[in-house]
Amino acid sequence: MSQEITKVTAPLPFTRKDVAEHALDFGKSWEYAPSPEATDHFKIEPRYELFIGGKWRTPKSGKYFATTSPSTEEKLADIAEGNAEDVDLAVKAARHAYERVWSKMRPAERAKYIFRIARAIQEKSRELAIVESMDGGKPIKESRDVDLPLAAAHFFYHAGWADKLDYAFHGRRARPLGVAGQIIPWNFPLLMAAWKIAPALACGNTVVLKPAETTPLTALLLAKIFEEAELPPGVVNIVTGAGETGAALVNHPDVDKIAFTGSTEVGKRIQRALAGTKKRLTLELGGKAANVIFADAPLDQAIEGIVQGIFFNQGHVCCAGSRLLVEESIHEPLVRKLRDRMATLRLGDPLDKNTDIGAINSKMQLEKIAALVDSGEKDGAERFSAPCAIPSKGYWFAPTFFTGVAQSSRIAREEIFGPVLSVLTFRTPDEAVEKANNTMYGLSAGIWSDKGAKIFWMAQRLKAGVVWGNTYNKFDPGSPFGGYKESGFGREGGRQGLSAYVELDG
Amino acid sequence: MKKKTDTQGSDVDVETTVNLSDLDSFETRTMARREEATGERLRVAKAYKMYVGGAFVRSESGRYLQVKAGDEKGADPGVVNVPRGSRKDARDAVLVAKSALDGWSARTAYNRGQILYRLAEVMESRHQELVTSLVRGGQSEAEASGEVDAAIDRAIFYAGFCDKYQSLLASSNPVSGPHFGFSVPEPMGVVAVIAPESPALLGLVSTVLPVIATGNTVIALASEKDPRTAIVFCECLATSDLPGGVANVLTGRATEMAPHLAKHREVIGIDAWTGDTALREALEREGADNVKRVKTHAVPAAPFWLDDRRGQGIGWLERFLETKSVWHPVGV
Amino acid sequence: MTAPHTLARPRAPHHSLFHSPPPSVDQVAVEERAASLGKRSLKKQSKVAGLKLAIAMMDLTTLEGKDTPGKVRALCHKAMLPLDRDPTIGPCAAICVYPNLVTVAKAALAGSPVKVASVATAFPSGQSPLSIKLDDVRRAVEFGADEIDMVIDRGAMLSGDYAKVFDEIAATKEACGPAHLKVILETGELGTYDLVRKASEIGIAAGGDFIKTSTGKVTPAATPPVTLVMLEAIRDHFYATGRRIGMKPAGGVRTAKQALHYLVLVKETLGDAWLTPDLFRFGASALLNDVLMQIEKERTGNYQAAEDFSKD
């Protein structure tokens, strides 16, 4: 190795020639052995019933459907298929519990139940994380270190609000709404259940929850926790099923409020269905967030933020940073670094502790992703996919990005909901704002720059409900989350998130 | 028998010979009496010490106060010695509270809330002991039980407030100009609390918890009337995950220690609940030396403390919070 | 590994390296990334392979005023044969000592592949005139040191005199002759990751073969995030020039688990080419025994007792 010290170089920017010649090798030297999470300390029941009025009840139709593991395609359990009659029973149980018990209970006592639930989630954390990974496909590293701590934190946080609502609304008196119908998606099954149930209970409402049909298990384990915490029967009811079950809940006349997280398309359907009723509604829908990288960003850390933004949870995230808007002057080095960074992403068994990218949640979702990726290639964008070995069984998609993406192409406009990033460039901050806002969505955005003033300037102008500066995908029960425009309305978390679950005077 | 003068100077009858059979019968008589009286084994008496830096310590002065301990339901005899804290104990406690400050304020609000909730869990598990202690201090069983319930519920109240008051007290300020302005509440530092004489448990809990919930550290002077219950509460603190030094409790006479805390320049705030108006005035005056935030109060009766609207709340949290306003330009 | 080099006065007078402020490194993100790489779970054969690699990368170190020939000979013996009941384990990469003990080390290691590294340049503070520091280096090389671990002028780094820091490193490299040069940044004194990055770039540009975190005499010494920042500087240099610079965390690496964490940082930042003692070393002393204990545990299934392994 000769010591060439006649020329002093500053490392950046490096040229295309450098890029081609000096390649890092992320190969097979020192492979990590499989490191599977132990699953022998609990078991999944072969069959789960509906949880209504504090009891496990068989579905009126007698029908069950299978929930399978998207990484192995094996059946995990049979799940009760709730129909309109079951929904009706659940709403009645919720109403009864609301009127007889929950609305009469001292708020400080309500809080204690919610604290108990939080504690139990902490105690059963590992089991819940493993089941979440098996049922939904996400890596155990994420369910264990992100989903579970946040789920427990949501219950802890909201427990503390139960007896403090008098402070939360600036002198306006708050009353609970009554019965809340809640429909949640498959990307963060337990966490979404926590986001919905915790504030509803804290504000004095009772709940009927319909989990997503591909990921019902952790909601059902949560129901067991409600039982063990001695939550009064009927305060939370879980009715599993698919689209029709959800529709029955939305249309039920005795539900006071609907909370929905899911696709924009279904959200609009629900909004239409509620027209003319007095039901309150909050919607948390899709997104196509812009992650904006300026030339003065700390680049290596911005790469981490990009990877986190789109590959976390396989991109099954409504607030995913799925559009990378990079300042043109650093496009080359950024793409180079991103490519190298993706070479160390490990795709595979969600229960392996070293897995970074888990399974795609379902065959249907995989087909949607593949179709949009095809369209990207047809539109002439240049595709790069990480060289991951794909297991033979299960649903998988290698982390991918496209460069040379046109603002008008489908992959720049439509939510892919998968590990696929579209890279576009901009020249000035004004242009970045224009491109970032040029979408019907408005859930989230990221800004990367070393200049504080620029972060605030961009944050002021971005039409997004959540703006991350020099970070991405950060969540906290105390930070209100929700979208602008067709990403939905209403906020979850924080003091602001309580408004969705109360009636206010004045 | 001879007359002898004992060490105190009074005449005492002294046996010149020892009669062994008398000794035997003395022993059996005593044991029989004990067995008659209780039918139980002799229990181990608790030594009551102050709680400083996460440890239980005696006064550096070696002095003590005797506290009558009422009806003997617990493990202890009817008279109990508690440390009589000194000026130096107060000084040492301030040092300890100061060194715990940075770590405690740097914890996330969520973490502080978790710790206070754990404190509530531990207090609940010691419900019986706390009740018994209050009863020995003169409360009725019903009063004591109500007081312990309220103290635990207060701990839960503040546990749930640690990560919420910020969204109530902070603000984004619509300043005129291209700046982003915001104001946030921050802990003040080391605070001294003179807890009310009564209620001995609820008063201490009500005055100490809001101070630490907001990230301050505290030196509290326990009720002189019932310091034993304060110390049982300290045992809860010690097993609750609260880092040592965040809450320190001294026993002894407030009049001996409080003025030194008021003069201590490391102490930034005082919350004094005492009927002694001269003491209150002295604290206000001495505190001026380093512009302390001094709040003094007469001691309201029990209903105040038991009232959820008065004995706790956001006002208690605000008392030892500073507001910091920050500006930053908005521009490219 | 060491090659002849050009003795030039390499610095261009107004280079941006000397006059631009330190590059920006986001502390929160860097610490998160370093920590997340610490969650990699190394089991069974990959764990043992990593541990054996760690041994091959160790610079067993003794840098104390009370070092004696006896102490150094014992350490050399340990470096050549870390576990006498298993001669397939080891040897370590090098011994690291003060200049006065180099001759003893050299003799004790004669015939073995273990190198002798000497600290020099008025280690650990560096607070002596340059001529003395350079003489310190030349003497150590004369005594037979294969490698020189120098310290940079932290005062100059903190006061912004980057050119001075550069000059001293370049001059030290010259004084090294055939010996290879490790540049100790003393990251624990630099205060920010930004300045660590700057110092890394200067150390590389001025001719260092390795950049090293610490003297081990100051806390904090090596940490995963500081190491990551330095690896990133090495990566960017490689992208620009094709040259591979080595890295050495020193001080504070005491357990096998920590050592594996560092290897993961290297593997996932720079890739396979750097997983060799030519490009990565650990500056450590107590680490070796913990690594040996972990290897034994993997072999036998039993957790080991410290007393079963020779202390030196």
Side-chain angles (χ1 to χ4, degrees), chain B residues 152-210:
Chain B
I152 296 169
D153 286 356
R154 191 138 298 163
I156 298 178
F157 176 82
Y158 284 117
F161 225 157
C162 286
D163 56 358
K164 302 196 176 51
Y165 67 84
Q166 299 83 340
S167 53
L168 300 175
L169 298 178
S171 59
S172 147
N173 308 321
V175 296
S176 302
H179 286 83
F180 174 49
F182 60 95
S183 297
V184 289
E186 294 195 341
M188 281 184 183
V190 176
V191 175
V193 163
I194 290 96
E197 281 294 274
S198 167
L201 173 65
L202 186 57
L204 182 62
V205 166
S206 303
T207 49
V208 165
L209 291 193

Side-chain angles (χ1 to χ4, degrees), chain A residues 82-99:
Chain A
N83 63 13
E85 268 190 86
D86 298 303
V87 168
D88 185 54
L89 194 60
V91 174
K92 283 192 164 67
R95 176 65 59 195
H96 185 96
Y98 174 73
E99 279 172 359

Side-chain angles (χ1 to χ4, degrees), chain B residues 313-327:
Chain B
I314 200 164
W316 291 78
L317 293 170
E318 270 190 296
R319 206 169 277 159
F320 295 103
L321 284 170
E322 293 283 4
T323 297
K324 173 182 287 172
S325 297
V326 180
W327 296 60

Side-chain angles (χ1 to χ4, degrees), chain A residues 3 5 18 22 25 27 29-33 35 145 300-301 304 336-337 340-341 354 356 450 474, chain C residues 10 15 24 26 30 32-33 39-42 46 50 209 232 235-236 239 242 244 267-268 270 272:
Chain A
Q3 307 293 328
I5 47 173
D18 299 328
H22 309 137
D25 171 28
S29 179
W30 191 41
E31 295 243 290
Y32 303 149
S35 180
D145 295 343
D300 286 316
Q301 288 80 58
E304 285 311 309
R336 168 45 175 314
K337 283 175 183 271
D340 274 348
R341 174 65 180 88
N354 289 323
D356 301 313
D450 201 39
K474 290 286 178 233
Chain C
H15 200 278
S24 167
D26 186 272
V30 133
E32 261 180 32
R33 173 69 176 150
K39 288 198 224 164
R40 289 298 191 211
S41 170
L42 285 328
S46 68
D209 299 292
E232 287 174 352
R235 179 169 63 189
D236 281 347
Y239 282 149
R244 295 190 178 96
K267 177 179 163 73
E268 299 203 25
L270 295 173
D272 293 3

Side-chain angles (χ1 to χ4, degrees), chain A residues 341-414:
Chain A
R341 174 65 180 88
M342 285 163 68
T344 58
L345 288 174
R346 305 170 63 83
L347 180 151
D349 178 11
L351 291 183
D352 189 312
K353 294 179 220 178
N354 289 323
T355 294
D356 301 313
I357 309 284
I360 301 301
N361 187 257
S362 66
K363 188 148 185 284
M364 195 169 73
Q365 188 57 31
L366 179 58
E367 283 163 2
K368 284 189 190 159
I369 296 168
L372 275 160
V373 166
D374 276 346
S375 82
E377 286 182 308
K378 287 197 179 66
D379 279 347
E382 199 181 309
R383 172 182 175 174
F384 170 80
S385 288
C388 301
I390 306 284
S392 54
K393 292 217 108 221
Y395 317 121
W396 311 93
F397 202 88
T400 295
F401 69 78
F402 280 97
T403 47
V405 178
Q407 184 77 355
S408 56
S409 61
R410 285 186 72 198
I411 56 170
R413 308 199 61 70
E414 291 179 38

